[in-house]
Amino acid sequence: NNEPYDEQVLKSMEEKFGEKLWVNRFPKDFGAMSKLLPTLERMSEEDAYVLLIDDDINYDCRLIESLVDTAQTERHACVANFGFVMADGMIYNQAFAGILYDKKIFPKDFIPWVKKVLEHPDCFRADDFLVSYYFRKHGIKAKTLGFEYPTPILCSEFDYGHGPDAL
């Protein structure tokens, strides 16, 4: 979107995190894929993780640590906080609950494939399904924390997550 950020908040974040933080603004709307696609296009580092979280979810304070710990033992995998297994065995991870990608898992054809698929209106809000399908098709591992822990990490939405701008 093109709404301006609160400059004081940005300045405070830049002072705290320095070059480790960047705000990725982009001119084209990729629907629900807008968090992942432009980020992958901009990142030059191959040995890096991409963490996706929503700004309208209250996350468990251990979430990021759990995602990173699992990703370090499950290299070359997508690690999510929440997901489920489809009838055909495909692991369907959901990014709203927090998801961590090892950048190395994305083959060179992923971005062009997604852009082509997003031309169909039914796919515009189907980011989790598209990524899960692509990973299954290409044999890329997917891991969901809730399957491994006896008590899944729970998330609760704030009221403003139900507004008209929520995806």
Side-chain angles (χ1 to χ4, degrees):
N1 72 45
N2 292 321
E3 293 183 30
Y5 286 106
D6 182 326
E7 292 301 321
Q8 292 294 69
V9 171
L10 281 180
K11 184 175 181 178
S12 170
M13 290 171 60
E14 287 171 353
E15 289 171 0
K16 183 174 181 177
F17 297 106
E19 292 181 11
K20 293 180 181 181
L21 172 79
W22 44 267
V23 177
N24 194 10
R25 302 294 293 220
F26 42 91
K28 182 171 168 82
D29 182 8
F30 293 106
M33 196 65 84
S34 291
K35 285 189 263 185
L36 180 59
L37 198 56
T39 302
L40 289 174
E41 287 182 313
R42 179 175 173 178
M43 288 180 71
S44 59
E45 304 86 2
E46 285 302 314
D47 192 26
Y49 291 112
V50 177
L51 171 68
L52 298 183
I53 56 174
D54 283 6
D55 63 355
D56 58 352
I57 301 290
N58 182 23
Y59 295 102
D60 186 287
C61 64
R62 299 165 296 167
L63 175 65
I64 295 174
E65 180 181 359
S66 297
L67 290 170
V68 171
D69 287 349
T70 304
Q72 289 176 342
T73 59
E74 299 282 337
R75 291 297 290 178
H76 309 295
C78 160
V79 182
N81 179 36
F82 177 78
F84 51 90
V85 179
M86 303 285 282
D88 67 354
M90 179 177 84
I91 295 176
Y92 179 68
N93 282 330
Q94 299 202 312
F96 84 92
I99 196 163
L100 187 72
Y101 300 105
D102 182 337
K103 186 170 182 276
K104 291 177 185 172
I105 66 176
F106 293 97
K108 299 285 184 211
D109 73 335
F110 177 76
I111 293 173
W113 178 82
V114 168
K115 286 182 176 180
K116 181 68 177 166
V117 170
L118 288 177
E119 292 174 7
H120 193 284
D122 289 342
C123 295
F124 198 66
R125 296 193 186 275
D127 59 324
D128 296 329
F129 181 79
L130 293 175
V131 173
S132 296
Y133 168 79
Y134 184 91
F135 286 177
R136 168 113 189 249
K137 183 178 171 188
H138 289 83
I140 298 167
K141 291 188 298 185
K143 186 86 170 167
T144 302
L145 297 180
F147 295 154
E148 301 298 319
Y149 294 2
T151 306
I153 298 172
L154 301 176
C155 300
S156 61
E157 297 179 51
F158 295 125
D159 290 337
Y160 63 84
H162 298 287
D165 65 335
L167 295 175

